[in-house]
């Protein structure tokens, strides 16, 4: 008993009085204005479908997994979606291990209502075999540090994790075309979930009999506040969920004001999430591209400018050619995965642009290596240089093709090495 | 400390150590008396470290490990800030961020008798001194100095108290005055009380000053002296 008393975090009378007094003059203890959100940062793990969100001191990790299960009887052609919360005692000494507490259940329910009941994730596309097999999406939310406003942070973590999650592709096969084949990620590119809209939770706290309104309360403010309201909205200004615990009565006009503020914040947060996810997707695409072994070479010292310019031109052409070549398999893939065409189309060239930059940088060490003997042997001769550049081109071609056409890699490799020799 | 460490034969002084490190070998220092502080333990002929931090030595024979942590381990003669949790017939139970609650005897006040027992509301902030800190016992606290005078100890009214690490508290109490307090003190007037348990209390005439000082102190923990001054300047500019 006493041990437990010592572990509870408690607040002094002085703090409570000070926070209330400061709020009367529109000051908050962490230096924010009443309608400022804390700094939000998103991190993604090495696996698909993990997201770590930091909102000020609050730290939440979202983790998405999928499993093939039998669908519910009443919805034979829809996948399932469930949210699980984990409140670790490491995050806050008041969280007890074992059964989820009241706060954990409430948090799970709010996020579940925002995401599932607003049909943000397309469920029908998760069906593999109607009435037999569907994908069950499970979102685990781990609270790593409690700095207040867990609902918003957990909601962002869930959304970000869902956006980066990819499930393996399935197809029907076998002699009766009724057995399900799950394709390994190496064989077929895993498919992202179809997310129609992003519901964002924004929490408000009321103080002083509903007179003072504050956005994104910290753990200290949460202890003092009279009431709380969580509004889940998306960028289309649809209200996906509202939760208002606490005894505080709130006027209708106040609620409308909250909705306006929430939609504004939701837009800001959606932008941030989208930007972070885009950066992650780009990095992911680049990770997939296999580099030629020469990529490990150190940066060169003395390649002349004229020469490197030529190389740039060469790579440009090469990439153009490459684009045309690669168009076919890419389109195929898009049809298969039926994701939005625009997205993957824009992604691919950008990845290539980055790649191009890389190749230009990488070209130099190689080229200088090739060049050196020729410089030593003869006087500076542009012809030999061009030769070396063309050899280079062949080499490079191999590595780029290598990167995209996974299936025919073996054949290509053989062919190109023959040319190189 | 630097001249001491250079004169001292033990090269580990003022270096970072980790739990399990052997810092002193007692076989070749047979007839010496050593005083061990927090984070060190004797195991046969070796002194080993039990927590990560900087190994410190003070002449003539004191050794300890200095680290920064959120949990406070009570130590005799530390001044701490506590929150009253409960009042019993003989003791007040005070939370000092330690592993167990501290006992503050109702007689441990200046001129304290059975007749005039002070009354504290639950949640009152007290500035206290640790009197006893034995293992397996709740630490005993006092609101008087060693001579029985009240001298600054006792309840603290108003202001704002926040929690940080023990390292920051030690930084704020160090001499010469740490740069962040020095820079703040030149521009603003405020009161501050620092407990070695990592609690800091700040008060000023306006809430905005309190908030500025509190945030400056909280973000100064891992900054160098020059960075701390720049931070304070930036914060002051934003306010004005």
């Amino acid at each position: 008993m006493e041990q437990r008393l010592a572990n509870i975090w408690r607040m002094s009378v002085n703090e409570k009085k000070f926070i209330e007094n400061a709020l009367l003059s529109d000051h908050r203890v962490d230096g924010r204005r009443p309608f400022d959100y804390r700094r939000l940062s998103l991190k993604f793990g090495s696996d698909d479908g993990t997201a770590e969100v930091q909102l000020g001191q609050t730290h939440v990790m979202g983790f998405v997994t999928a499993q093939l299960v039998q669908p519910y009887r009443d919805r034979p052609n829809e996948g399932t979606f469930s949210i699980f919360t984990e409140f670790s005692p490491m995050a806050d000494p008041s969280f007890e291990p074992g059964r989820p507490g009241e706060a954990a259940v409430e948090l799970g329910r709010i996020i579940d209502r925002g995401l599932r009941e607003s049909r943000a994730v397309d469920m029908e596309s998760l069906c593999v075999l109607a009435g037999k097999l569907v994908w069950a999406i499970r979102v685990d939310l781990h609270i790593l540090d409690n700095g207040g406003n867990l609902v918003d942070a957990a909601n962002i973590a869930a959304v970000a994790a869902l956006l980066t999650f990819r499930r393996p592709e399935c197809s029907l096969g076998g002699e009766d075309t009724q057995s399900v084949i799950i394709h390994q990620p190496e064989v077929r590119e895993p498919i992202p979930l179809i997310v129609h809209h992003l519901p964002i939770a924004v929490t408000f706290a009321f103080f002083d009999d509903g007179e003072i309104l504050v956005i994104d309360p910290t753990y200290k403010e949460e202890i003092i506040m009279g009431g709380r309201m969580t509004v889940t909205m998306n960028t289309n200004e649809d209200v996906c969920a509202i939760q208002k615990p606490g005894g505080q009565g709130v006027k209708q006009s106040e609620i409308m004001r909250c909705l306006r503020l929430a939609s504004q914040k939701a837009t800001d947060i959606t932008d941030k999430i989208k930007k972070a996810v885009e950066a992650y997707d780009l990095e992911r695409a680049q990770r997939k591209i296999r580099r030629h072994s020469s990529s490990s070479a150190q940066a060169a010292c003395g390649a002349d400018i004229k020469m490197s310019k030529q190389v740039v031109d060469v790579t440009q052409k090469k990439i153009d050619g490459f684009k045309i070549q690669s168009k076919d398999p890419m389109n195929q893939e898009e049809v298969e995965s039926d994701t939005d065409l625009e997205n993957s189309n824009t992604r691919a060239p950008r990845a290539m642009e980055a790649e191009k930059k890389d190749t230009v940088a990488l070209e130099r060490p190689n080229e200088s290596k090739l060049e050196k003997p020729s410089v030593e042997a003869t006087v500076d001769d542009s012809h030999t240089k061009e030769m070396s550049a063309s050899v280079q081109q062949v080499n490079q071609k191999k590595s780029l093709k290598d990167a995209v056409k996974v299936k025919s890699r073996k054949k290509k490799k053989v062919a190109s090495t023959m040319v190189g020799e | 400390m630097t001249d001491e460490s250079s004169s001292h034969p033990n090269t580990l002084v003022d270096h970072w150590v980790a739990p399990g490190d052997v810092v002193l070998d007692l076989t070749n220092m047979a007839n010496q008396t050593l005083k061990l502080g927090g984070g060190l333990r004797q195991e046969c002929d070796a002194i080993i470290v039990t927590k990560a931090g900087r190994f410190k030595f003070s002449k003539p024979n004191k050794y300890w490990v200095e680290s920064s942590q959120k949990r406070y381990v009570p130590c005799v003669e530390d001044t701490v800030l506590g929150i009253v949790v409960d009042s019993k017939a003989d003791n007040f139970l005070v939370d000092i961020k330690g592993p167990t609650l501290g006992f503050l005897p109702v007689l441990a006040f200046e001129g304290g008798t059975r007749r005039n027992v002070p009354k504290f509301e639950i949640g009152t902030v007290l500035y206290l001194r640790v009197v006893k800190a034995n293992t397996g016992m709740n630490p005993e606290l006092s609101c008087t100095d060693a001579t029985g005078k009240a001298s600054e100890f006792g309840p603290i009214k108003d202001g704002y108290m926040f929690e940080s690490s023990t390292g920051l508290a030690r930084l704020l109490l160090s001499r010469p005055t740490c740069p962040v307090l020095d820079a703040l003190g030149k521009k603003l007037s405020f009161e501050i009380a620092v407990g070695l348990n990592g609690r800091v209390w700040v008060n000023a005439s306006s809430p905005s000053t309190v908030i500025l000082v509190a945030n400056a102190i909280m973000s100064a923990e891992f900054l160098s002296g020059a960075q701390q001054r720049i931070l304070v300047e930036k914060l002051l500019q934003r306010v004005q």
Side-chain angles (χ1 to χ4, degrees):
Chain A
M1 175 59 202
E2 230 227 24
Q3 189 59 40
R4 266 181 62 193
L5 264 177
N7 279 334
I8 299 167
W9 181 81
R10 46 180 77 75
M11 203 170 192
S12 63
V13 179
N14 306 35
E15 273 171 273
K16 285 183 186 168
K17 238 195 266 169
F18 179 81
I19 293 173
E20 279 172 351
N21 283 338
L23 276 171
L24 288 176
S25 55
D26 271 0
H27 287 294
R28 293 172 78 177
V29 278
D30 48 3
R32 280 184 291 161
R33 311 299 298 174
F35 302 138
D36 285 353
Y37 225 76
R38 280 175 289 175
R39 215 171 67 83
L40 174 72
S41 71
L42 282 149
K43 260 192 297 183
F44 297 100
S46 52
D47 295 341
D48 291 333
T50 57
E52 246 183 274
V53 170
Q54 246 176 323
L55 185 66
Q57 204 202 318
T58 306
H59 201 162
V60 180
M61 188 173 77
F63 193 80
V64 182
T65 45
Q67 200 182 358
L68 279 171
V69 295
Q70 198 167 13
Y72 293 122
R73 197 72 61 75
D74 55 337
R75 294 181 193 277
N77 57 353
E78 282 185 21
T80 62
F81 181 85
S82 45
I83 301 237
F84 292 85
T85 50
E86 168 84 31
F87 280 51
S88 146
M90 281 292 281
D92 193 319
S94 67
F95 297 160
E96 307 228 335
R99 280 185 65 239
E102 199 183 323
V105 174
E106 190 194 6
L107 178 118
R109 285 292 305 141
I110 297 174
I111 293 167
D112 187 65
R113 206 169 339 134
L115 282 170
R116 186 159 58 88
E117 287 168 27
S118 72
R119 307 203 147 258
V121 182
D122 191 272
M123 286 296 152
E124 278 169 18
S125 67
L126 295 174
C127 176
V128 180
L129 199 59
K132 292 258 174 63
L133 276 180
V134 292
W135 285 105
I137 304 293
R138 176 193 166 112
V139 183
D140 285 280
L141 295 166
H142 296 264
I143 311 294
L144 303 179
D145 199 355
N146 178 15
N149 199 4
L150 289 174
V151 177
D152 292 14
N155 188 79
I156 296 168
V159 168
L162 283 170
L163 282 177
T164 54
F165 176 70
R166 275 159 179 81
R167 64 177 171 88
E169 198 183 338
C170 281
S171 60
L172 296 175
E175 58 261 23
D176 55 347
T177 68
Q178 285 293 298
S179 53
V180 176
I181 305 159
I182 302 173
H183 299 282
Q184 293 297 310
E186 291 84 20
V187 181
R188 280 203 200 171
E189 185 63 27
I191 307 165
L193 296 174
I194 300 172
V195 181
H196 294 304
H197 62 103
L198 304 181
I200 303 294
V202 180
T203 301
F204 299 89
F206 300 102
F207 295 88
D208 199 22
D209 291 332
E211 292 296 311
I212 299 170
L213 177 70
V214 149
I215 218 166
D216 186 22
T218 61
Y219 64 113
K220 284 184 175 174
E221 287 164 337
E222 276 182 346
I223 290 177
I224 303 165
M225 68 190 175
R228 177 163 62 110
M229 182 162 85
T230 304
V231 180
T232 308
M233 283 186 112
N234 60 17
T235 43
N236 310 331
E237 304 204 356
D238 302 324
V239 179
C240 304
I242 288 191
Q243 171 89 351
K244 208 213 132 286
Q248 188 82 66
V250 180
K251 284 188 222 119
Q252 197 184 355
S253 59
E254 200 74 340
I255 292 180
M256 293 315 285
R257 187 166 156 227
C258 287
L259 290 180
R260 277 197 301 278
L261 282 166
S263 85
Q264 198 188 326
K265 291 292 169 203
T267 319
D268 294 353
I269 295 169
T270 309
D271 277 353
K272 265 185 196 158
I273 296 175
K274 278 196 173 151
K275 242 176 234 164
V277 169
E278 236 167 63
Y280 170 78
D281 281 342
L282 183 65
E283 191 207 325
R284 189 173 174 279
Q286 279 173 344
R287 220 187 310 149
K288 284 262 154 79
I289 297 170
R290 291 217 183 169
R291 297 273 155 80
H292 191 239
S293 57
S294 71
S295 64
S296 58
Q298 295 293 313
C301 29
D304 72 353
I305 303 154
K306 195 178 154 198
M307 190 51 220
S308 58
K309 215 173 185 179
Q310 259 181 357
V311 175
V312 174
D313 287 345
V314 167
T315 43
Q316 190 86 48
K317 263 184 233 158
K318 203 187 316 161
I319 281 158
D320 286 347
F322 159 74
K323 249 185 213 165
I324 296 156
Q325 274 186 339
S326 62
K327 222 169 190 173
D328 260 356
M330 269 209 165
N331 273 349
Q332 241 174 22
E333 235 177 53
E334 269 153 28
V335 173
E336 277 168 2
S337 64
D338 73 311
T339 49
D340 49 337
L341 279 160
E342 270 178 28
N343 192 13
S344 51
N345 258 349
T346 47
R347 200 187 306 152
R350 207 180 298 145
M352 258 181 293
E353 249 164 46
E355 177 66 356
K356 184 173 76 190
K357 267 183 216 157
D358 261 6
T359 48
V360 172
L362 293 172
E363 208 101 28
R364 273 181 213 157
N366 239 358
E367 168 219 314
S368 62
K369 259 184 225 159
L370 278 167
E371 217 186 325
K372 256 187 188 151
S374 72
V375 172
E376 275 168 48
T378 62
V379 198
D380 195 67
D381 190 351
S382 62
H383 188 70
T384 50
K385 270 185 190 171
E386 249 170 42
M387 280 269 286
S388 68
S390 64
V391 171
Q392 191 62 34
Q393 184 185 354
V394 171
N395 269 342
Q396 207 55 44
K397 209 171 202 163
K398 179 184 77 181
S399 72
L400 270 171
K401 267 187 189 163
D402 211 30
V404 176
K405 284 195 170 177
V406 186
K407 278 180 195 164
S408 56
R409 193 197 305 152
K410 252 182 192 167
K411 249 190 260 169
K412 280 278 145 62
K413 218 172 204 170
V414 173
S416 56
T417 43
M418 272 168 66
V419 173
E421 277 158 19
Chain B
M1 194 51 85
T2 45
D3 53 337
E4 275 167 4
S5 63
S6 56
S7 66
H8 195 269
N10 194 320
T11 48
L12 277 168
V13 168
D14 271 339
H15 279 73
W16 290 99
V17 288
D21 285 1
V22 176
V23 284
L24 292 170
D25 190 4
L26 298 181
T27 48
N28 48 15
M29 39 202 324
N31 41 14
Q32 276 185 42
T33 319
L34 297 179
K35 285 188 176 170
L36 300 183
L40 295 174
R41 198 158 60 100
Q42 181 185 2
E43 211 162 81
C44 299
D45 274 350
I47 301 290
I48 59 167
V49 179
T50 54
K51 67 179 181 187
R54 228 173 243 267
F55 184 54
K56 293 278 191 176
F57 166 68
S58 153
K59 272 182 180 173
N61 55 6
K62 284 180 188 161
Y63 292 94
W64 72 100
V65 175
E66 209 167 275
S67 62
S68 181
Q69 54 197 40
K70 286 184 175 173
R71 171 73 64 113
Y72 169 67
V73 180
C75 196
V76 177
E77 287 301 310
D78 277 357
T79 53
V80 295
L81 281 166
I83 300 173
V84 177
V85 174
D86 202 359
S87 55
K88 293 269 161 67
D90 291 339
N91 294 302
F92 290 107
L93 296 184
V94 184
D95 173 34
I96 53 168
K97 276 177 86 176
T100 53
L101 294 172
F103 282 156
L104 174 64
V106 288
L107 299 177
F109 294 87
E110 185 180 343
T113 56
R114 278 264 158 227
R115 289 276 176 86
N116 55 354
V117 171
K119 270 188 182 163
F120 293 129
E121 192 191 340
I122 288 170
T124 310
V125 177
L126 296 171
Y127 190 56
L128 302 154
R129 191 170 61 99
V130 180
V131 178
K132 278 184 202 155
N134 301 333
T135 46
M137 264 172 72
N138 291 52
E140 194 179 312
L141 310 162
S142 167
C143 262
T144 61
D145 64 4
T147 58
K149 291 275 186 308
S151 58
E152 310 281 319
F153 293 109
I156 295 178
K157 296 219 170 60
D158 299 328
Y160 173 60
M161 190 177 77
F162 56 92
E163 301 197 344
S164 58
S165 64
T166 55
L168 180 67
R170 227 177 288 113
L171 182 84
L172 292 172
L173 290 168
S174 62
R175 301 259 155 185
T177 319
C178 87
V180 65
L181 285 184
D182 195 41
L184 284 167
K186 276 181 183 153
K187 295 276 161 64
L188 304 165
S189 65
F190 59 91
E191 280 181 277
I192 187 166
V194 182
L196 276 170
N197 55 348
R199 284 200 175 120
V200 182
W201 170 89
V202 180
N203 196 15
S205 49
S206 76
S208 57
T209 314
V210 175
I211 290 167
L212 188 141
V213 171
N215 283 310
I217 290 172
M218 270 191 271
S219 44
E221 183 171 5
F222 301 108
L223 300 178
S224 70
Q227 281 173 321
Q228 288 178 17
R229 284 176 200 282
I230 293 166
L231 170 88
V232 171
E233 242 164 65
K234 270 189 185 161
L235 282 174
L236 286 170
Q237 267 173 10
R238 211 189 296 167
V239 169
Q240 279 153 13

